[in-house]
Amino acid sequence: MTVDATGLRIPTELLPADGRFGSGPSKVRPEQLAALTAAGRTVLGTSHRQAPVKSVVGRVRAGIAELFSLPDGYEVVLGNGGSTAFWDVATLGLVRRRSQHLVLGEFSAKFAAAAAQAPFLDEPVVVRGEPGTLPRLGDVADDVDVVAWPHNETSTGVMAPVVRPSGPTAEEGGPLVVVDATSGAGGLPVDVAQTDAYYFAPQKAFASDGGLWIAVLSPAALDRVREVRATGRWIPASLDLQTAVDNSRKDQTYNTPAVATLVLLAEQVEWMLAQGGLDWATARTAQSAGHVYGWAEQREWAAPFVAEPAARSQVVATIDLDPSVDAVAVQDVLRDNGIVDVFPYRSLGRNQLRIGVFPAVDPDDVRALTACVDHVAERLRKA
């Protein structure tokens, strides 16, 4: 039962400088908005086939290539529709016949479902874990040509390692490794050479808006795209990965993108590089997440939802609260005081806080957030 905490005020000195802790869309830095305003006359409202917008796409592609230290032959490919669309793109353009999926929660389940529903594919192998746990992929089935899992399951705060399964690589006739990095890319350590498709959307660690997908593709993945397309499989033009590859090489997308999203993304990538790149970004998220988990473990009324420490996300921290502290009431009071979007994923149904600690989020603000939760929880427990 939700406690009525209407009117409860948090002392100003406890409040974070910025109260945005959403797990996506996430905090956008003021400097990005200033850059967007500056781009108003030269980029916004102009053709995405012309030099000003193509230059922004080029900045995005070059910046991501540098951020992830791409191996030779890997390419950065963009398309419209977000990661949700990329599940269909991959189902149509990367899976030859059968895929194997590691399902950690809501989002990884959706890619598995897309593969299961495709009438031209065999039933996928699906390995499922209980929410909040990290199941092991196990052996890859002999007839599987794509292995897929999320780097970070946004719905539960479970983080999975990105390491190729044992056995032949894709170049050697083994399966492609396809990793959903929607909330992990830019905030978690990764060696993209361990993947063939590392894909994500920009509204998490990259502090932009949604509606765009970015995929880092290996030479083996690019070969698979050509191979699948050559079979004559029907693929809608807007979901055709080869079309996306061809357009990305021209620094454009097949259809008109949200140019503001691209500007925000380019600015965020370049900011991360200027701060020290992926090593800096992942150290920053590890610091913030480490504080949240340590704080929870020191409270009798809170605990990390993910029991296995190594599987706890360092970009999306999920914290269970004791029934004596109504999470909805906490969230309501925080929002009334300018601290927003710390609610759990809707389908979990837990008395929980979910805290986005992406690179744009200042660790000092994370410490301020937990102090504010302490302040609210103490008063709710006395109510």
Side-chain angles (χ1 to χ4, degrees):
M1 181 177 180
T2 302
V3 176
D4 184 5
T6 304
L8 180 56
R9 305 307 303 172
I10 299 173
T12 303
E13 61 270 19
L14 293 182
L15 295 173
D18 193 301
R20 291 173 290 176
F21 298 96
S23 294
S26 65
K27 173 187 171 182
V28 178
R29 295 178 301 109
E31 293 83 357
Q32 292 171 271
L33 297 177
L36 186 60
T37 299
R41 289 183 177 274
T42 58
V43 177
L44 302 184
T46 67
S47 170
H48 70 292
R49 305 290 187 196
Q50 298 304 311
V53 177
K54 287 163 72 78
S55 175
V56 177
V57 177
R59 288 169 56 197
V60 168
R61 296 182 70 226
I64 289 171
E66 182 179 352
L67 186 71
F68 292 114
S69 303
L70 295 197
D72 290 343
Y74 279 65
E75 295 188 28
V76 178
V77 179
L78 297 85
N80 288 326
S83 296
T84 302
F86 193 82
W87 297 324
D88 295 328
V89 169
T91 299
L92 288 159
L94 287 178
V95 184
R96 181 191 291 128
R97 180 52 56 193
R98 194 183 192 205
S99 54
Q100 182 164 328
H101 300 259
L102 184 62
V103 172
L104 313 181
E106 183 80 11
F107 296 102
S108 43
K110 290 182 177 179
F111 186 11
Q117 293 164 7
F120 48 84
L121 297 180
D122 292 342
E123 187 70 18
V125 179
V126 180
V127 179
R128 297 181 184 272
E130 290 299 314
T133 67
L134 175 59
R136 303 312 181 218
L137 180 66
D139 294 333
V140 178
D142 291 339
D143 60 344
V144 159
D145 54 79
V146 162
V147 179
W149 70 88
H151 197 179
N152 192 80
E153 176 53 66
T154 316
S155 67
T156 62
V158 172
M159 178 175 65
V162 178
V163 180
R164 286 187 185 276
S166 59
T169 65
E171 290 84 353
E172 299 165 338
L176 295 176
V177 174
V178 179
V179 174
D180 182 345
T182 298
S183 58
L188 301 182
V190 68
D191 174 7
V192 295
Q194 296 292 316
T195 74
D196 295 296
Y198 187 73
Y199 66 94
F200 49 93
Q203 75 271 22
K204 313 280 187 176
F206 294 104
S208 185
D209 277 339
L212 185 77
W213 59 257
I214 304 102
V216 175
L217 301 182
S218 73
L222 294 165
D223 287 344
R224 178 69 63 80
V225 172
R226 290 189 291 269
E227 174 197 333
V228 170
R229 197 191 208 203
T231 66
R233 177 183 293 173
W234 178 78
I235 303 175
S238 62
L239 299 175
D240 188 336
L241 194 45
Q242 187 63 61
T243 297
V245 170
D246 294 342
N247 277 274
S248 294
R249 288 169 175 166
K250 301 174 185 177
D251 288 336
Q252 62 189 33
T253 52
Y254 169 69
N255 50 342
T256 305
V259 178
T261 296
L262 289 167
V263 173
L264 295 173
L265 172 58
E267 288 294 323
Q268 179 72 353
V269 172
E270 290 168 359
W271 172 74
M272 292 165 73
L273 289 169
Q275 301 304 308
L278 192 61
D279 288 345
W280 171 85
T282 57
R284 184 170 164 97
T285 59
Q287 177 185 355
S288 293
H291 168 75
V292 174
Y293 295 128
W295 163 82
E297 288 173 330
Q298 294 169 8
R299 302 298 182 274
E300 64 178 18
W301 43 266
F305 173 47
V306 180
E308 182 182 349
R312 293 173 185 165
S313 170
Q314 66 184 58
V315 288
V316 176
T318 47
I319 303 299
D320 278 349
L321 302 184
D322 183 81
S324 65
V325 181
D326 186 338
V328 173
V330 172
Q331 294 153 28
D332 288 345
V333 173
L334 292 177
R335 179 168 282 278
D336 287 345
N337 285 267
I339 301 171
V340 300
D341 297 349
V342 296
F343 47 83
Y345 192 71
R346 56 187 177 274
S347 66
L348 279 182
R350 301 186 70 85
N351 192 50
Q352 185 180 89
L353 303 179
R354 184 175 56 144
I355 302 167
V357 290
F358 299 111
V361 177
D362 194 309
D364 285 343
D365 283 342
V366 176
R367 287 185 279 270
L369 167 65
T370 55
C372 290
V373 175
D374 281 339
H375 180 86
V376 176
E378 289 170 3
R379 282 148 184 80
L380 292 179
R381 297 181 80 207
K382 294 176 180 177

